[in-house]
Amino acid sequence: MRINLGCQLQFSFPQETPMVAVLNVHYSHFGDLERPDFMVSSPSVPLESYRDGFGNWCTRLIAPSGDFELKTDGIFLDKGEPDPIAPGAMQFDVQHLPADTLVYLLGSRYCETDLLSEEAWHLFENTAPGWARVQAICDFVHGHVTFGYEHARATRTAFETMTERRGVCRDYTHLAIALCRCLNIPARYCTGYLSDIGEQGPDPPGDFAAWMEVYLSGRWWVFDPRNNTRRIGRILVARGRDAADVPLTQTFGKNTLVNFSVWANEVQENEGGMTLRVHGPN
């Protein structure tokens, strides 16, 4: 399956402003790009790429004053299969976890394990450790939180999501991550494209999505508390402890985001050439 993916962000800057963008497909999937999603800017400015401490591709630049645009557009080769499932995947005792997973047991900016630990054990102590426990957490979060773009708030934490019972996909993810960590399950935050391939319409407005990965049976597994289903066409851009580690853009000065669009469209061939079947990320 071929997926045309990309994004377009339009800003207005009152003056020259340093900026970091994390908008390219994760390096671990670079080999799956038939056409790389290279970043371009308008007007054109020098772009400097580097890999951060979590392995994400980042781009440094200085945005000029006035109108400024960043855009990516590529073709991704996807297997067309849903997220893997392994009901028998086991949870490791903390003393047996690899050292590089331990950071994903700690509290972080949006995932306050200290405030949620008692409630996490109250809710899930009697669930079977491993896959079943993580799925129980996702089931709880999916049913506990009401989704709505009007509920978006950049400062909302996992504890606030628990008490307010509303949010967007990043809030669902932060709450599920925090509950997993409280129960000694390493969990990390992911952001990227999530197409609607295989889903019934209508398609929601295009946006990047958030989900989590948990460490069970010696590897990381995808879980999506917002949608709570196995999905086709999930393409990773960045991962970290929580959303604070993977902002799509970080600007070091005042700016206005004028327009924002994201696409992840299935490419189909017909007799006249290439066509696109549109599926917007959610």
Side-chain angles (χ1 to χ4, degrees):
M1 177 181 293
R2 302 169 69 225
I3 299 175
N4 174 222
L5 55 77
C7 63
Q8 184 177 34
L9 289 76
Q10 296 174 319
F11 301 87
S12 178
F13 287 92
Q15 60 187 22
E16 283 194 349
T17 305
M19 184 176 184
V20 175
V22 186
L23 296 171
N24 295 109
V25 169
H26 196 263
Y27 82 93
S28 60
H29 293 288
F30 185 80
D32 297 319
L33 286 166
E34 177 183 287
R35 187 180 76 215
D37 59 335
F38 294 127
M39 187 181 301
V40 295
S41 69
S42 180
S44 180
V45 298
L47 305 176
E48 177 187 346
S49 296
Y50 69 96
R51 193 179 296 176
D52 69 10
F54 297 97
N56 305 310
W57 283 121
C58 305
T59 302
R60 297 179 67 180
L61 58 101
I62 299 178
S65 61
D67 295 336
F68 182 66
E69 177 182 285
L70 290 175
K71 183 177 181 180
T72 67
D73 189 68
I75 299 290
F76 188 88
L77 300 178
D78 189 84
K79 294 180 180 179
E81 300 173 353
D83 301 319
I85 185 171
M90 298 181 298
Q91 178 179 340
F92 289 176
D93 293 333
V94 173
Q95 62 269 32
H96 297 137
L97 286 168
D100 60 1
T101 68
L102 297 180
V103 67
Y104 299 109
L105 290 178
L106 306 179
S108 56
R109 164 68 178 86
Y110 290 105
C111 301
E112 314 101 315
T113 53
D114 54 342
L115 298 180
L116 287 165
S117 181
E118 184 175 348
E119 183 66 10
W121 282 102
H122 171 74
L123 289 169
F124 304 108
E125 183 176 11
N126 294 322
T127 58
W131 189 279
R133 179 168 285 175
V134 177
Q135 187 56 60
I137 290 170
C138 290
D139 292 343
F140 169 80
V141 173
H142 182 75
H144 184 78
V145 181
T146 298
F147 180 87
Y149 287 111
E150 70 275 13
H151 302 321
R153 188 175 77 238
T155 59
R156 182 181 287 115
T157 67
F159 181 76
E160 291 170 335
T161 301
M162 186 72 162
T163 55
E164 296 175 16
R165 303 187 62 167
R166 61 184 182 181
V168 292
C169 60
R170 62 177 263 162
D171 302 310
Y172 285 73
T173 302
H174 284 147
L175 178 54
I177 286 173
L179 293 172
C180 284
R181 292 176 184 173
C182 289
L183 300 169
N184 298 327
I185 305 169
R188 60 191 185 188
Y189 183 93
C190 298
T191 186
Y193 297 93
L194 178 58
S195 79
D196 282 312
I197 296 170
E199 300 296 308
Q200 297 297 317
D203 294 339
D207 197 356
F208 284 104
W211 61 88
M212 68 176 181
E213 294 175 343
V214 302
Y215 191 81
L216 300 170
S217 286
R219 57 161 286 185
W220 293 94
W221 300 90
V222 166
F223 284 84
D224 183 350
R226 154 70 176 102
N227 296 289
N228 207 24
T229 59
R230 302 282 126 181
R231 295 286 292 269
I232 298 170
R234 190 187 302 273
I235 303 168
L236 180 69
V237 168
R239 59 166 68 103
R241 293 167 298 181
D242 60 30
D245 289 331
V246 290
L248 299 172
T249 58
Q250 177 73 56
T251 54
F252 299 88
K254 293 183 178 180
N255 70 92
T256 301
L257 180 62
V258 178
N259 190 43
F260 174 75
S261 57
V262 181
W263 54 91
N265 309 322
E266 182 182 0
V267 179
Q268 292 193 325
E269 302 286 344
N270 62 18
E271 294 182 358
M274 185 177 72
T275 61
L276 296 180
R277 178 183 295 174
V278 177
H279 298 272
N282 64 0

